[in-house]
Amino acid sequence: MAETVLRVSGVSKRFGGLLALSDVGITIERGQVYGLIGPNGAGKTTFFNVITGLYTPDSGTFELAGQPYKPTAVHEVAKAGIARTFQNIRLFAEMTALENVMVGRHIRTHSGLLGAIFRTPGFKAEERGIAQRSQELLEYVGIGKYADYKARTLSYGDQRRLEIARALATDPQLIALDEPAAGMNATEKTLLRQLIDQIRKDNRTILLIEHDVKLVMGLCDRVTVLDYGKQIAEGTPAQVQRDEKVIEAYLGQNHTVTGASATAVAATGVQR
């Protein structure tokens, strides 16, 4: 029986008079790449931000690896075992690539403030371990040779990889990727897909929010589709791309549903 990593149910969120989410939920099993898609304004970013602690929900239950967690702050969610990246890259520009990953790794340190102040032998040993693991993660995502480069000097695609390495440094139960392909060219997207495939093969679990529907349909094991804050479909990519509600959401209410239309949702990434 597959192990459930994330189970979220009954999530609602209001911003003033706007109901951004209404009774939304997902279940993600270990080793899956799970996609979250929807037209612009569908509520997918709000749901993503609720799961990862950036927004506080009005209602909902949250379990990570069978244990309840409260999405009240990003750092608390990270400690619980969810690491995320952001649509707009948020690296420490003047720090090296290695230092950026080490920052992520520090969430799992044990030496404490006194150890850092007095630079105890235990602290020094832990720092060496952090640096070694951080270098390994840079190698893993394909940018090990840039360890000593400042983050701002890396190419756009390599900065995205660096963000993923920093997320992996927290030893997460779930990696939440917020539009990682945004702004990438075709070559960079191919390399990103290969990296996500490798992460999945290593039995890690990924939640992916992405506008590139073709990328999502080619990568994900299961997909949830939101529209106007409601969950309108959930299933395998093949099931979702044939769903009439999904086709209507992406192509408009007056569009005649045909097999070609269903294929368009998956193959061309048509968006409203």
Side-chain angles (χ1 to χ4, degrees):
M1 183 176 179
E3 178 189 357
T4 297
V5 171
L6 181 71
R7 190 189 306 276
V8 177
S9 61
V11 174
S12 295
K13 176 65 179 177
R14 283 187 179 273
F15 295 101
L18 173 65
L19 182 60
L21 295 172
S22 177
D23 194 29
V24 179
I26 58 174
T27 299
I28 306 177
E29 296 177 352
R30 187 166 302 282
Q32 283 187 334
V33 178
Y34 196 104
L36 184 63
I37 64 172
N40 293 330
K44 55 189 183 296
T45 299
T46 299
F47 187 49
F48 194 89
N49 287 338
V50 165
I51 290 172
T52 57
L54 201 61
Y55 296 159
T56 301
D58 298 323
S59 65
T61 59
F62 302 82
E63 289 184 7
L64 184 66
Q67 299 298 315
Y69 81 93
K70 294 182 179 180
T72 54
V74 173
H75 69 281
E76 293 296 338
V77 172
K79 286 182 180 179
I82 297 178
R84 69 165 293 173
T85 64
F86 290 85
Q87 180 180 355
N88 298 316
I89 294 173
R90 299 188 183 185
L91 295 170
F92 298 103
E94 296 302 321
M95 294 172 64
T96 67
L98 182 65
E99 289 168 340
N100 268 273
V101 181
M102 289 178 68
V103 167
R105 189 67 182 164
H106 273 97
I107 199 171
R108 301 299 178 202
T109 57
H110 304 286
S111 294
L113 180 60
L114 290 178
I117 292 174
F118 294 106
R119 299 193 64 78
T120 62
F123 171 80
K124 291 180 181 179
E126 192 168 48
E127 282 293 293
R128 288 193 296 271
I130 289 170
Q132 179 179 342
R133 179 57 178 156
S134 297
Q135 180 65 44
E136 290 171 355
L137 288 169
L138 289 175
E139 300 286 349
Y140 181 81
V141 302
I143 56 171
K145 62 184 178 181
Y146 301 129
D148 295 328
Y149 286 54
K150 288 187 176 181
R152 63 175 171 80
T153 67
L154 301 182
S155 69
Y156 183 82
D158 286 343
Q159 287 185 16
R160 288 286 187 191
R161 289 172 171 270
L162 178 54
E163 277 204 317
I164 293 173
R166 186 172 63 183
L168 289 169
T170 69
D171 283 340
Q173 295 275 356
L174 177 76
I175 306 162
L177 303 180
D178 186 358
E179 299 199 26
M184 284 188 171
N185 59 38
T187 300
E188 290 170 334
K189 285 184 180 181
T190 298
L191 293 173
L192 174 67
R193 177 171 179 167
Q194 292 171 354
L195 175 57
I196 293 175
D197 269 334
Q198 183 59 55
I199 293 172
R200 169 174 39 199
K201 288 176 183 176
D202 292 335
N203 204 33
R204 296 182 181 272
T205 309
I206 297 174
L207 172 61
L208 175 67
I209 178 174
E210 182 55 62
H211 272 331
D212 188 330
V213 178
K214 183 178 180 181
L215 180 67
V216 170
M217 294 298 180
L219 264 176
C220 293
D221 301 292
R222 296 191 73 81
V223 179
T224 279
V225 186
L226 300 182
D227 193 30
Y228 294 110
K230 295 182 179 180
Q231 194 166 349
I232 62 170
E234 195 277 339
T236 65
Q239 290 168 338
V240 166
Q241 73 185 40
R242 293 193 299 267
D243 191 289
E244 293 186 11
K245 291 181 180 178
V246 176
I247 296 167
E248 182 178 295
Y250 272 93
L251 300 179
Q253 292 182 348
N254 296 324
H255 192 90
T256 301
V257 177
T258 65
S261 301
T263 302
V265 175
T268 66
V270 174
Q271 298 178 35
R272 185 172 62 188

